Amino acid sequence: MTRYAADPSAIKALIHPERVHRDVYTDPDIFRLEMKHLFANTWIYVGHASQIPNPGDYLTTDIGNQPVLASRHSDGSVHVLYNRCPHKGTKIASEACGNTGKFFRCPYHAWSFKTNGALLAIPFKKGYDGTGLEDTEAVKGLAPVGAAHVYRDFIFARLAPSGVDFETFFGESLSSIDNMIDRSPEGKLVLEGAPLRYMHPCNWKMLVENQTDTCHPMVAHESSAGTAISVWEREQAKGGKKPMAVEVYAPFMSPYDFFEKMGLRVWPNGHGHTGVTTSIHADYSAIPGYFDKMVAAYGEERARAILGESRHNTCYFPNIMVKGPIQTLRVFKPVAADRTLVESYTFRLVGAPDTLFERTLMYNRLINAPTSIVGHDDLEMYERAQLGLHADGLEWVNIQRLYEPGEAEDVTEIAGGTSERQMRNQFHAWTKYMTMSMTPEGVAFQEAAQ
Amino acid sequence: MSAVTEKDLVDFVYREARLLDELRYEEWLALYAEDAHYWMPAEWQQTNPRLQASLMYEDMLLLKIRVERLSGARTFSQKPKSRAQHLLQVPQVDEIDPAENRYRTWTSFHYAETRGDEFTIYAGWARHDLRVEEGSLKIVLKRVDLVNFDAPFGNIQLFM
């Protein structure tokens, strides 16, 4: 670490309200600082409780570049632990999801741990008698992360031991997760279907920003959505109703005015969503039987209110996006400054007709798969941006659209749907969470917040 | 068409690969029945294309969209264009059933896709479900199982 190491003023100088310096996308030092500070100070999505329903169930993932696991303990509680044996460092769990039985057992030397991480046993332990092992970190077992929180089955964790608490961090933004869950007549989601995994040769933030970029669909996706419309217009002469796939593709070609009117909302701490009044998901055909089940569960007024929300993309800072009306969740996992793994997950609404889940899966493969033509359009733009940013003629990326000088930061507000306000909101939060643990004052703030 | 032989089926699978390698997509689409599907599962030994995750499960409409898009003036992910190459093991004929008009083959393959300086190899198995329509073999279902279906891929823009 050289140029930017632990120098908050240098970090802050990269972010202006209406533009950001290219180094935030390209510089390996910045990337390392993001892993160390940003991904430690924020609440990161770990997984969904339905993936680990029974004691001994676990899932593994990464928070930034840190390997972690989430474990269901015998008392039903969920524990988020570093996935590293305290003895020699071996990863304890290697599968994406599994069941470890009553305890974790390291495959290297058979140190074992309870499913809450506590050390259970060490083979031939008398070899440590009188060595002072009991005074080391090693006997504490699998280290827990700083904090973990399960919100309506969504598991989040913060690596830093102190910092902004869960409710303060997310605040009203949780309403998008609420709406996705409430769309189940039983108020319950099950994560189902393999995630679609898609490697991108670009910085993770480009993907996040694109989620609320409503001035690109009619341009970048003319090739996919535009072609879908023109092929369908020819084919529909043969008769038959508009296929679900065309319903999914076609709205990407909506005009600027549509996206402007659909609106955008920002929340504090970098969260925000597109689609306040309507969205590209608002006009899908009704699924037979679904509305009746919702009315039976919630009453007509409440059912209409739940289904009337058609929020487009909700970004939870820093690196996930939720689509309530579609029941998908995308995780943008940073791998390197110019490499991002995107994992797109699908949820089944418990108690809803299968056809809804069929649409969720279809949406995911048409839009989010490495075989998706919409995905191809987007990846091409990210890749070109990642390469283009090396041009020394211009070092700044513009995020000025519908910017108002003196614009309030860290607030809940609504803006025009084609605004780049959410990108500015994210970068404001980026600066805050990057620098809060870099100086003694920042650390003091963090502790005070706790 | 007289009785379908094993050689007919094997030749058909080879011909499909050749059309793809030569980027002759209109002719390739003509090998498919109107109700055909092209399926790439995303789970091991997957049984259900609708209620389990797939990389692709496309009917003729979606395949036509793909093919038309590849040559679109504003298809930026095809500037420069991709090319493909199939290396097939001899297809195994799993079923010849003239009474039911049902024919099935299974073909192990390596597939290479290239674009610009990028070159990527994939490996897997292709299953062809075929039937005879007006004297010609047609694909009813082409199922492509990648050996590493659960790995994170970059763009896969053409057809295996």
Side-chain angles (χ1 to χ4, degrees), chain A residues 142-303:
Chain A
L142 300 175
V145 299
H149 189 92
V150 183
Y151 178 79
R152 298 188 72 181
D153 284 352
F154 287 76
I155 307 166
F156 288 86
R158 188 191 65 214
L159 294 178
S162 62
V164 179
D165 65 68
F166 180 87
E167 283 80 10
T168 307
F169 185 73
F170 286 117
E172 291 174 24
S173 73
L174 293 170
S175 55
S176 287
I177 287 180
D178 287 337
N179 181 256
M180 181 157 73
I181 300 168
D182 292 344
R183 286 168 177 268
S184 153
E186 297 177 24
K188 193 168 175 54
L189 300 177
V190 173
L191 189 145
E192 195 176 312
L196 298 181
R197 308 177 74 216
Y198 194 175
M199 193 62 85
H200 283 63
C202 68
N203 188 269
W204 64 276
K205 295 187 292 299
M206 289 184 185
L207 279 141
V208 176
E209 287 154 33
N210 189 60
Q211 307 307 308
T212 61
D213 181 322
T214 56
C215 287
H216 87 281
M218 67 297 278
V219 182
H221 299 307
E222 183 183 340
S223 95
S224 49
T227 304
I229 292 170
S230 58
V231 172
W232 165 243
E233 281 172 352
R234 275 203 316 270
E235 295 286 316
Q236 76 183 128
K238 296 177 186 169
K241 80 185 223 328
K242 196 180 196 178
M244 194 187 271
V246 175
E247 287 194 341
V248 166
Y249 278 138
F252 280 71
M253 290 306 287
S254 302
Y256 290 100
D257 184 53
F258 173 86
F259 286 105
E260 174 62 16
K261 284 181 179 150
M262 92 182 187
L264 171 157
R265 181 184 279 120
V266 292
W267 289 294
N269 295 311
H271 318 298
H273 79 95
T274 40
V276 176
T277 58
T278 184
S279 81
I280 61 170
H281 308 309
D283 280 337
Y284 297 150
S285 297
I287 303 291
Y290 175 50
F291 183 67
D292 294 343
K293 287 192 165 196
M294 288 293 284
V295 170
Y298 294 102
E300 183 166 347
E301 190 183 348
R302 173 91 180 109

Side-chain angles (χ1 to χ4, degrees), chain B residues 140-157:
Chain B
V140 179
L141 175 67
K142 180 174 180 181
R143 170 176 171 149
V144 177
D145 285 275
L146 287 176
V147 64
N148 59 341
F149 55 88
D150 51 358
F153 300 111
N155 280 354
I156 299 172
Q157 298 204 59

Side-chain angles (χ1 to χ4, degrees), chain A residues 198-199 223 234 371 377 380, chain B residues 55 66 68-69 153 155:
Chain A
Y198 194 175
M199 193 62 85
S223 95
R234 275 203 316 270
T371 38
D377 294 337
E380 179 70 12
Chain B
L55 291 163
R66 275 184 192 271
E68 188 155 321
R69 174 184 175 276
F153 300 111
N155 280 354

Side-chain angles (χ1 to χ4, degrees), chain A residues 131-140:
Chain A
T131 65
L133 181 75
E134 62 276 14
D135 300 324
T136 67
E137 293 180 317
V139 294
K140 292 179 187 162

